Amino acid sequence: MGKKQQRELERLENHLMAEDARQVESAEAYNRDDIDLNLERYSRKVYGKKRGGCLVYGIILVISAALALFLYQVLGGSGYAG
């Protein structure tokens, strides 16, 4: 490669590097995401809801079993007509 080409490549490289430096200096970024403000509160909100689900299903199961037992007693308890 000739000296003229080498100088031109260096000039272009310097120009590109200066342009990159200007872009980085003038760049501003804002994060307006509310989730990042308090990650601990967000994780409690997400993971805290699962505990009540088992209790609700357990209560529904107990009520269903009691209703089934009640209906069994009221209807006579026998499935055979005889």
Side-chain angles (χ1 to χ4, degrees):
M1 186 178 325
K3 288 182 183 182
K4 202 173 194 182
Q5 288 178 336
Q6 184 66 29
R7 279 192 306 245
E8 184 64 21
L9 285 176
E10 288 175 3
R11 186 188 70 78
L12 288 173
E13 184 179 342
N14 289 337
H15 179 71
L16 289 174
M17 289 173 62
E19 183 67 29
D20 287 343
R22 275 191 298 244
Q23 286 179 358
V24 172
E25 289 173 5
S26 65
E28 294 181 14
Y30 297 100
N31 185 2
R32 303 190 83 182
D33 192 3
D34 292 338
I35 294 172
D36 290 340
L37 294 178
N38 191 338
L39 192 56
E40 190 65 34
R41 185 174 2 146
Y42 174 72
S43 64
R44 279 195 309 262
K45 185 197 273 186
V46 170
Y47 292 115
K49 299 282 184 182
K50 289 187 176 183
R51 291 183 180 169
C54 293
L55 181 62
V56 172
Y57 290 130
I59 291 171
I60 291 172
L61 182 64
V62 168
I63 291 172
S64 298
L67 181 63
L69 184 62
F70 174 74
L71 290 175
Y72 180 76
Q73 294 295 323
V74 169
L75 295 176
S78 176
Y80 297 110

Coordinates of all heavy atoms in Angstrom, one line a residue:
M1 N 0.8 -1.2 0.0 CA 0.0 0.0 0.0 C 0.9 1.2 0.0 O 1.9 1.3 0.7 CB -0.9 0.0 1.3 CG -1.9 1.1 1.3 SD -3.0 1.1 2.7 CE -3.3 -0.6 3.1
G2 N 0.5 2.2 -0.8 CA 1.4 3.4 -0.9 C 1.2 4.4 0.3 O 0.2 4.2 1.1
K3 N 2.1 5.3 0.4 CA 2.0 6.3 1.5 C 0.8 7.1 1.4 O 0.2 7.5 2.4 CB 3.3 7.2 1.5 CG 4.5 6.5 1.9 CD 5.7 7.5 1.9 CE 6.9 6.7 2.3 NZ 8.1 7.7 2.3
K4 N 0.3 7.5 0.2 CA -0.8 8.3 0.0 C -2.1 7.5 0.5 O -2.9 8.1 1.2 CB -1.0 8.6 -1.5 CG -1.8 9.8 -1.7 CD -1.7 10.2 -3.2 CE -2.2 11.5 -3.5 NZ -2.2 11.9 -4.9
Q5 N -2.2 6.3 0.2 CA -3.3 5.5 0.6 C -3.3 5.3 2.1 O -4.3 5.3 2.8 CB -3.3 4.1 -0.1 CG -3.7 4.1 -1.5 CD -3.6 2.7 -2.2 OE1 -2.9 1.9 -1.7 NE2 -4.3 2.6 -3.3
Q6 N -2.1 5.1 2.7 CA -2.0 4.9 4.1 C -2.4 6.2 4.9 O -3.2 6.1 5.9 CB -0.5 4.6 4.5 CG -0.3 4.3 6.0 CD -1.0 3.0 6.4 OE1 -1.2 2.1 5.6 NE2 -1.4 3.0 7.7
R7 N -2.0 7.3 4.4 CA -2.4 8.6 5.0 C -3.9 8.8 4.9 O -4.6 9.2 5.8 CB -1.7 9.8 4.3 CG -0.3 10.0 4.9 CD 0.2 11.3 4.4 NE 0.1 11.5 2.9 CZ 1.1 11.6 2.1 NH1 2.4 11.6 2.6 NH2 1.0 11.6 0.8
E8 N -4.5 8.4 3.8 CA -6.0 8.6 3.6 C -6.7 7.6 4.5 O -7.7 8.0 5.1 CB -6.3 8.3 2.1 CG -7.8 8.5 1.8 CD -8.3 9.9 2.0 OE1 -7.5 10.9 1.9 OE2 -9.5 10.1 2.1
L9 N -6.2 6.4 4.7 CA -6.9 5.5 5.6 C -6.8 6.0 7.1 O -7.7 5.9 7.8 CB -6.2 4.1 5.5 CG -6.6 3.3 4.3 CD1 -5.8 2.0 4.2 CD2 -8.1 3.0 4.3
E10 N -5.6 6.5 7.4 CA -5.5 7.1 8.8 C -6.4 8.3 9.0 O -7.0 8.4 10.1 CB -4.0 7.5 9.0 CG -3.1 6.3 9.2 CD -1.6 6.8 9.3 OE1 -1.3 8.0 9.3 OE2 -0.8 5.9 9.4
R11 N -6.5 9.1 8.0 CA -7.4 10.3 8.1 C -8.9 9.8 8.3 O -9.6 10.3 9.1 CB -7.3 11.1 6.8 CG -8.1 12.4 6.9 CD -8.1 13.2 5.6 NE -8.9 12.5 4.6 CZ -10.2 12.6 4.5 NH1 -10.9 13.2 5.4 NH2 -10.8 11.9 3.5
L12 N -9.3 8.8 7.5 CA -10.6 8.3 7.6 C -10.9 7.6 9.0 O -11.9 7.8 9.6 CB -10.9 7.3 6.5 CG -11.1 7.9 5.1 CD1 -11.2 6.8 4.0 CD2 -12.3 8.8 5.0
E13 N -9.9 6.9 9.4 CA -10.0 6.3 10.7 C -10.1 7.3 11.8 O -11.0 7.2 12.7 CB -8.8 5.4 11.0 CG -8.8 4.6 12.2 CD -7.6 3.7 12.4 OE1 -6.9 3.4 11.5 OE2 -7.4 3.3 13.6
N14 N -9.3 8.3 11.8 CA -9.4 9.4 12.8 C -10.7 10.1 12.7 O -11.3 10.4 13.7 CB -8.3 10.4 12.6 CG -6.9 9.9 13.0 OD1 -6.8 8.9 13.7 ND2 -5.8 10.4 12.4
H15 N -11.2 10.3 11.5 CA -12.5 11.0 11.4 C -13.6 10.1 12.0 O -14.5 10.6 12.7 CB -12.8 11.2 9.9 CG -14.1 11.8 9.6 ND1 -14.4 13.1 9.9 CD2 -15.2 11.3 9.1 CE1 -15.7 13.4 9.6 NE2 -16.2 12.3 9.1
L16 N -13.6 8.8 11.7 CA -14.6 7.9 12.3 C -14.5 7.8 13.8 O -15.5 7.8 14.5 CB -14.5 6.5 11.6 CG -14.9 6.4 10.2 CD1 -14.6 5.0 9.6 CD2 -16.4 6.7 10.0
M17 N -13.3 7.7 14.3 CA -13.1 7.7 15.8 C -13.6 9.0 16.4 O -14.2 8.9 17.5 CB -11.7 7.4 16.1 CG -11.2 6.0 15.8 SD -9.5 5.7 16.0 CE -9.3 5.9 17.7
A18 N -13.4 10.1 15.8 CA -13.9 11.4 16.3 C -15.4 11.4 16.3 O -16.0 11.9 17.3 CB -13.3 12.5 15.6
E19 N -16.0 10.9 15.3 CA -17.4 10.9 15.2 C -18.0 10.0 16.3 O -19.0 10.3 16.9 CB -17.9 10.4 13.8 CG -19.3 10.3 13.5 CD -19.9 11.7 13.5 OE1 -19.2 12.7 13.1 OE2 -21.1 11.9 13.9
D20 N -17.4 8.8 16.5 CA -17.9 7.9 17.6 C -17.8 8.6 18.9 O -18.6 8.5 19.8 CB -17.0 6.6 17.6 CG -17.4 5.7 16.4 OD1 -18.5 5.9 15.8 OD2 -16.6 4.8 16.1
A21 N -16.7 9.3 19.2 CA -16.5 10.0 20.4 C -17.6 11.1 20.6 O -18.1 11.3 21.7 CB -15.1 10.6 20.5
R22 N -17.9 11.8 19.6 CA -19.0 12.8 19.7 C -20.3 12.2 20.0 O -21.1 12.7 20.8 CB -19.1 13.6 18.4 CG -18.1 14.8 18.3 CD -18.5 15.6 17.1 NE -18.3 14.8 15.9 CZ -17.5 15.1 14.9 NH1 -16.7 16.2 15.0 NH2 -17.4 14.4 13.9
Q23 N -20.6 11.1 19.4 CA -21.9 10.4 19.6 C -22.0 9.9 21.1 O -23.0 10.1 21.7 CB -22.1 9.2 18.7 CG -22.4 9.6 17.3 CD -22.5 8.4 16.3 OE1 -22.3 7.3 16.8 NE2 -22.8 8.7 15.1
V24 N -20.9 9.4 21.6 CA -21.0 8.9 23.0 C -21.1 10.0 24.0 O -21.8 9.9 25.0 CB -19.7 8.0 23.3 CG1 -19.6 7.7 24.7 CG2 -19.7 6.8 22.4
E25 N -20.4 11.1 23.8 CA -20.5 12.3 24.7 C -21.9 12.9 24.7 O -22.3 13.3 25.7 CB -19.4 13.3 24.3 CG -18.0 12.9 24.5 CD -17.0 13.9 24.0 OE1 -17.4 14.9 23.5 OE2 -15.8 13.6 24.1
S26 N -22.5 12.9 23.6 CA -23.8 13.6 23.5 C -25.0 12.7 23.8 O -26.1 13.1 23.8 CB -24.0 14.3 22.1 OG -24.0 13.3 21.1
A27 N -24.7 11.4 23.9 CA -25.8 10.5 24.2 C -26.4 10.6 25.6 O -25.7 10.7 26.5 CB -25.4 9.0 23.9
E28 N -27.7 10.6 25.7 CA -28.4 10.6 27.0 C -29.4 9.5 27.0 O -30.2 9.3 26.0 CB -29.1 12.0 27.2 CG -28.1 13.1 27.3 CD -28.8 14.4 27.6 OE1 -30.0 14.4 27.9 OE2 -28.2 15.5 27.4
A29 N -29.5 8.8 28.0 CA -30.4 7.7 28.1 C -31.3 7.9 29.4 O -30.7 8.2 30.5 CB -29.7 6.4 28.2
Y30 N -32.5 7.7 29.3 CA -33.4 7.7 30.4 C -34.2 6.4 30.5 O -34.7 5.9 29.6 CB -34.4 8.9 30.2 CG -33.8 10.2 30.1 CD1 -33.6 10.8 28.9 CD2 -33.4 10.9 31.3 CE1 -33.0 12.1 28.8 CE2 -32.8 12.1 31.2 CZ -32.6 12.7 30.0 OH -32.0 14.0 30.0
N31 N -34.3 6.0 31.7 CA -35.0 4.7 32.0 C -36.2 5.1 32.8 O -36.2 5.5 34.0 CB -34.2 3.7 32.8 CG -34.9 2.4 33.0 OD1 -36.0 2.3 32.5 ND2 -34.2 1.5 33.7
R32 N -37.4 5.1 32.2 CA -38.6 5.5 32.9 C -39.4 4.2 33.3 O -40.6 4.3 33.5 CB -39.4 6.3 31.9 CG -38.6 7.6 31.5 CD -39.4 8.5 30.8 NE -40.1 9.3 31.9 CZ -40.9 10.3 31.7 NH1 -41.2 10.6 30.5 NH2 -41.5 10.9 32.7
D33 N -38.8 3.1 33.3 CA -39.5 1.9 33.7 C -39.7 1.8 35.2 O -38.7 1.8 36.0 CB -38.6 0.7 33.2 CG -39.3 -0.6 33.3 OD1 -40.5 -0.6 33.6 OD2 -38.7 -1.7 33.0
D34 N -40.9 1.7 35.6 CA -41.3 1.7 37.0 C -40.8 0.5 37.7 O -40.6 0.5 38.9 CB -42.8 1.9 37.3 CG -43.3 3.2 36.8 OD1 -42.4 4.2 36.8 OD2 -44.5 3.4 36.6
I35 N -40.6 -0.6 37.0 CA -40.2 -1.9 37.6 C -38.8 -1.8 38.2 O -38.6 -2.3 39.3 CB -40.3 -3.0 36.6 CG1 -41.8 -3.3 36.2 CG2 -39.7 -4.3 37.2 CD1 -41.9 -4.2 35.1
D36 N -38.0 -1.1 37.6 CA -36.6 -0.9 38.0 C -36.4 -0.1 39.2 O -35.4 -0.1 39.9 CB -35.7 -0.4 36.9 CG -35.5 -1.4 35.8 OD1 -35.8 -2.6 36.1 OD2 -35.2 -1.0 34.7
L37 N -37.4 0.7 39.6 CA -37.3 1.6 40.7 C -37.1 0.9 42.0 O -36.3 1.2 42.9 CB -38.5 2.6 40.8 CG -38.6 3.6 39.6 CD1 -39.8 4.4 39.7 CD2 -37.3 4.4 39.5
N38 N -38.0 -0.1 42.2 CA -37.9 -0.9 43.5 C -38.0 -2.4 43.1 O -39.2 -2.9 43.1 CB -38.9 -0.4 44.5 CG -38.7 -1.0 45.8 OD1 -38.0 -2.0 46.0 ND2 -39.3 -0.3 46.8
L39 N -37.0 -3.0 42.9 CA -37.0 -4.4 42.4 C -37.5 -5.3 43.6 O -38.2 -6.3 43.3 CB -35.6 -4.8 42.0 CG -35.5 -6.1 41.2 CD1 -36.4 -6.2 40.0 CD2 -34.1 -6.4 40.8
E40 N -37.2 -5.0 44.8 CA -37.6 -5.8 45.9 C -39.1 -5.8 46.0 O -39.8 -6.9 46.2 CB -37.0 -5.3 47.2 CG -37.2 -6.2 48.4 CD -36.5 -7.5 48.2 OE1 -35.4 -7.6 47.6 OE2 -37.0 -8.6 48.7
R41 N -39.8 -4.7 45.9 CA -41.2 -4.6 46.0 C -41.9 -5.3 44.8 O -42.9 -6.0 45.0 CB -41.7 -3.1 46.0 CG -43.1 -3.0 46.2 CD -43.6 -1.6 46.4 NE -42.6 -0.6 46.3 CZ -42.8 0.6 45.7 NH1 -44.0 1.0 45.3 NH2 -41.9 1.5 45.7
Y42 N -41.3 -5.2 43.6 CA -41.8 -5.9 42.5 C -41.7 -7.4 42.6 O -42.7 -8.1 42.3 CB -41.0 -5.4 41.2 CG -41.4 -6.2 40.0 CD1 -42.6 -6.0 39.4 CD2 -40.5 -7.2 39.4 CE1 -42.9 -6.7 38.2 CE2 -40.9 -7.9 38.3 CZ -42.1 -7.6 37.7 OH -42.4 -8.3 36.6
S43 N -40.6 -7.9 43.2 CA -40.5 -9.3 43.3 C -41.5 -9.8 44.4 O -42.1 -10.9 44.3 CB -39.1 -9.7 43.7 OG -38.7 -9.2 44.9
R44 N -41.7 -9.1 45.4 CA -42.7 -9.5 46.4 C -44.1 -9.5 45.8 O -44.9 -10.4 46.1 CB -42.7 -8.5 47.6 CG -41.7 -8.8 48.6 CD -41.9 -8.1 49.9 NE -42.2 -6.7 49.7 CZ -41.3 -5.7 49.9 NH1 -40.1 -6.0 50.3 NH2 -41.6 -4.4 49.7
K45 N -44.4 -8.5 44.9 CA -45.7 -8.5 44.3 C -45.9 -9.7 43.4 O -47.0 -10.3 43.3 CB -45.8 -7.2 43.5 CG -47.2 -7.0 42.9 CD -47.2 -6.0 41.7 CE -47.3 -4.6 42.1 NZ -47.5 -3.7 40.9
V46 N -44.8 -10.1 42.7 CA -45.0 -11.2 41.7 C -45.0 -12.5 42.4 O -45.9 -13.3 42.2 CB -43.8 -11.2 40.7 CG1 -43.7 -12.4 39.9 CG2 -43.9 -9.9 39.8
Y47 N -44.1 -12.7 43.4 CA -44.0 -14.0 44.0 C -44.9 -14.2 45.2 O -45.2 -15.3 45.7 CB -42.6 -14.3 44.4 CG -41.7 -14.5 43.3 CD1 -40.6 -13.6 43.0 CD2 -41.8 -15.6 42.4 CE1 -39.8 -13.8 42.0 CE2 -41.0 -15.8 41.3 CZ -40.0 -14.9 41.1 OH -39.1 -15.0 40.0
G48 N -45.4 -13.1 45.8 CA -46.3 -13.1 47.0 C -47.7 -13.7 46.7 O -48.3 -14.1 47.7
K49 N -48.2 -13.6 45.5 CA -49.5 -14.1 45.2 C -49.7 -15.6 45.2 O -50.8 -16.0 45.4 CB -50.0 -13.5 43.9 CG -50.0 -12.0 43.8 CD -51.2 -11.4 44.5 CE -51.2 -9.9 44.3 NZ -52.3 -9.3 44.9
K50 N -48.7 -16.3 45.1 CA -48.8 -17.8 45.0 C -49.3 -18.5 46.2 O -49.9 -19.5 46.2 CB -47.5 -18.4 44.5 CG -47.2 -18.1 43.0 CD -46.0 -18.8 42.5 CE -45.8 -18.6 41.1 NZ -44.7 -19.3 40.6
R51 N -49.0 -18.0 47.4 CA -49.2 -18.7 48.6 C -50.7 -18.9 48.9 O -51.1 -19.9 49.4 CB -48.6 -17.9 49.8 CG -47.1 -17.9 49.8 CD -46.5 -17.3 51.0 NE -45.1 -17.3 50.9 CZ -44.3 -16.7 51.7 NH1 -44.8 -15.8 52.6 NH2 -43.0 -16.8 51.6
G52 N -51.5 -17.9 48.6 CA -53.0 -18.0 48.9 C -53.7 -19.0 48.0 O -54.8 -19.4 48.3
G53 N -53.2 -19.4 46.9 CA -53.8 -20.3 45.9 C -54.1 -21.6 46.5 O -55.2 -22.2 46.4
C54 N -53.2 -22.2 47.2 CA -53.4 -23.5 47.8 C -54.4 -23.5 48.9 O -55.2 -24.4 49.0 CB -52.0 -24.1 48.4 SG -50.8 -24.4 47.2
L55 N -54.5 -22.5 49.7 CA -55.5 -22.3 50.7 C -56.9 -22.3 50.1 O -57.8 -22.9 50.6 CB -55.2 -21.1 51.6 CG -56.2 -20.9 52.7 CD1 -56.1 -22.0 53.7 CD2 -55.8 -19.6 53.4
V56 N -57.0 -21.5 49.1 CA -58.3 -21.4 48.4 C -58.8 -22.7 47.8 O -59.9 -23.1 48.0 CB -58.3 -20.3 47.3 CG1 -59.5 -20.3 46.5 CG2 -58.0 -18.9 47.9
Y57 N -57.9 -23.4 47.2 CA -58.2 -24.7 46.6 C -58.5 -25.7 47.7 O -59.4 -26.6 47.6 CB -57.1 -25.2 45.7 CG -56.9 -24.5 44.4 CD1 -55.7 -24.0 44.0 CD2 -58.0 -24.2 43.6 CE1 -55.6 -23.3 42.8 CE2 -57.9 -23.5 42.4 CZ -56.7 -23.1 42.1 OH -56.5 -22.4 40.9
G58 N -57.9 -25.7 48.8 CA -58.1 -26.5 49.9 C -59.5 -26.3 50.5 O -60.3 -27.3 50.8
I59 N -59.9 -25.0 50.7 CA -61.2 -24.7 51.2 C -62.3 -25.2 50.2 O -63.3 -25.7 50.7 CB -61.3 -23.2 51.5 CG1 -60.4 -22.8 52.7 CG2 -62.7 -22.8 51.8 CD1 -60.3 -21.3 52.9
I60 N -62.1 -25.0 49.0 CA -63.1 -25.4 48.0 C -63.2 -26.9 48.0 O -64.3 -27.5 47.9 CB -62.7 -24.9 46.6 CG1 -62.8 -23.4 46.5 CG2 -63.5 -25.6 45.5 CD1 -62.3 -22.8 45.2
L61 N -62.1 -27.6 48.2 CA -62.1 -29.1 48.2 C -62.9 -29.6 49.5 O -63.7 -30.5 49.4 CB -60.7 -29.6 48.2 CG -60.6 -31.2 48.3 CD1 -61.1 -31.8 47.0 CD2 -59.1 -31.6 48.4
V62 N -62.7 -29.0 50.6 CA -63.4 -29.3 51.8 C -64.9 -29.1 51.7 O -65.7 -29.9 52.1 CB -62.8 -28.6 53.1 CG1 -63.6 -28.8 54.3 CG2 -61.4 -29.1 53.3
I63 N -65.2 -27.9 51.2 CA -66.7 -27.6 51.0 C -67.3 -28.6 50.0 O -68.4 -29.0 50.3 CB -66.8 -26.1 50.5 CG1 -66.4 -25.2 51.7 CG2 -68.2 -25.9 50.1 CD1 -66.4 -23.7 51.3
S64 N -66.6 -28.9 49.0 CA -67.2 -29.9 48.0 C -67.4 -31.2 48.6 O -68.4 -31.9 48.4 CB -66.2 -30.0 46.8 OG -66.1 -28.8 46.1
A65 N -66.4 -31.7 49.4 CA -66.5 -33.0 50.1 C -67.7 -33.0 51.1 O -68.5 -33.9 51.2 CB -65.2 -33.3 50.8
A66 N -67.9 -31.9 51.8 CA -69.0 -31.8 52.8 C -70.3 -31.8 52.0 O -71.3 -32.4 52.5 CB -68.8 -30.5 53.6
L67 N -70.4 -31.1 50.9 CA -71.6 -31.0 50.1 C -71.9 -32.4 49.5 O -73.1 -32.9 49.6 CB -71.5 -30.0 49.0 CG -72.7 -29.9 48.1 CD1 -73.9 -29.3 48.9 CD2 -72.3 -28.9 46.9
A68 N -70.9 -33.1 49.1 CA -71.1 -34.5 48.5 C -71.6 -35.4 49.6 O -72.5 -36.2 49.4 CB -69.8 -35.0 47.9
L69 N -71.0 -35.3 50.8 CA -71.5 -36.2 52.0 C -72.9 -35.8 52.3 O -73.7 -36.7 52.6 CB -70.5 -36.0 53.2 CG -70.8 -36.8 54.4 CD1 -70.7 -38.3 54.0 CD2 -69.9 -36.4 55.5
F70 N -73.2 -34.5 52.4 CA -74.6 -34.1 52.7 C -75.6 -34.7 51.7 O -76.6 -35.2 52.0 CB -74.7 -32.6 52.8 CG -76.1 -32.1 53.0 CD1 -76.7 -32.2 54.2 CD2 -76.7 -31.5 51.9 CE1 -78.0 -31.7 54.4 CE2 -78.0 -31.0 52.1 CZ -78.6 -31.1 53.3
L71 N -75.3 -34.5 50.4 CA -76.2 -35.0 49.3 C -76.3 -36.6 49.4 O -77.4 -37.1 49.1 CB -75.7 -34.6 48.0 CG -75.9 -33.1 47.7 CD1 -75.2 -32.7 46.3 CD2 -77.3 -32.7 47.7
Y72 N -75.2 -37.2 49.8 CA -75.2 -38.7 49.9 C -76.2 -39.1 51.0 O -77.0 -40.0 50.8 CB -73.8 -39.2 50.2 CG -73.7 -40.7 50.3 CD1 -73.8 -41.5 49.2 CD2 -73.6 -41.3 51.6 CE1 -73.7 -42.9 49.4 CE2 -73.5 -42.6 51.8 CZ -73.5 -43.4 50.6 OH -73.4 -44.8 50.8
Q73 N -76.2 -38.4 52.1 CA -77.1 -38.7 53.2 C -78.5 -38.3 52.9 O -79.5 -39.1 53.2 CB -76.7 -37.9 54.5 CG -75.3 -38.3 55.1 CD -75.4 -39.7 55.6 OE1 -76.4 -40.2 56.1 NE2 -74.3 -40.4 55.4
V74 N -78.8 -37.2 52.2 CA -80.1 -36.8 51.9 C -80.8 -37.7 50.8 O -81.9 -38.1 50.9 CB -80.1 -35.3 51.4 CG1 -81.5 -34.9 50.8 CG2 -79.8 -34.4 52.5
L75 N -80.0 -38.1 49.9 CA -80.6 -38.9 48.8 C -80.7 -40.4 49.2 O -81.1 -41.2 48.3 CB -79.7 -38.8 47.5 CG -79.8 -37.3 46.9 CD1 -78.9 -37.3 45.7 CD2 -81.2 -37.0 46.5
G76 N -80.3 -40.8 50.3 CA -80.5 -42.2 50.7 C -79.3 -43.0 50.7 O -79.3 -44.1 51.3
G77 N -78.3 -42.6 50.1 CA -77.0 -43.3 50.2 C -76.9 -44.6 49.3 O -75.9 -45.2 49.3
S78 N -77.9 -45.0 48.7 CA -77.9 -46.2 47.9 C -78.2 -45.9 46.4 O -79.1 -45.2 46.1 CB -78.9 -47.2 48.4 OG -78.9 -48.3 47.6
G79 N -77.3 -46.4 45.5 CA -77.5 -46.1 44.1 C -78.4 -47.2 43.5 O -78.8 -47.1 42.3
Y80 N -78.7 -48.3 44.2 CA -79.5 -49.4 43.6 C -81.0 -49.2 44.0 O -81.3 -48.9 45.1 CB -79.0 -50.7 44.1 CG -77.6 -51.0 43.7 CD1 -76.5 -51.0 44.7 CD2 -77.3 -51.3 42.4 CE1 -75.2 -51.2 44.3 CE2 -76.0 -51.6 42.1 CZ -75.0 -51.5 43.0 OH -73.7 -51.8 42.7
A81 N -81.8 -49.4 43.0 CA -83.3 -49.4 43.3 C -83.7 -50.8 43.6 O -83.7 -51.6 42.7 CB -84.0 -48.8 42.1
G82 N -84.1 -51.0 44.8 CA -84.4 -52.4 45.0 C -85.1 -52.7 46.2 O -85.8 -53.0 46.8

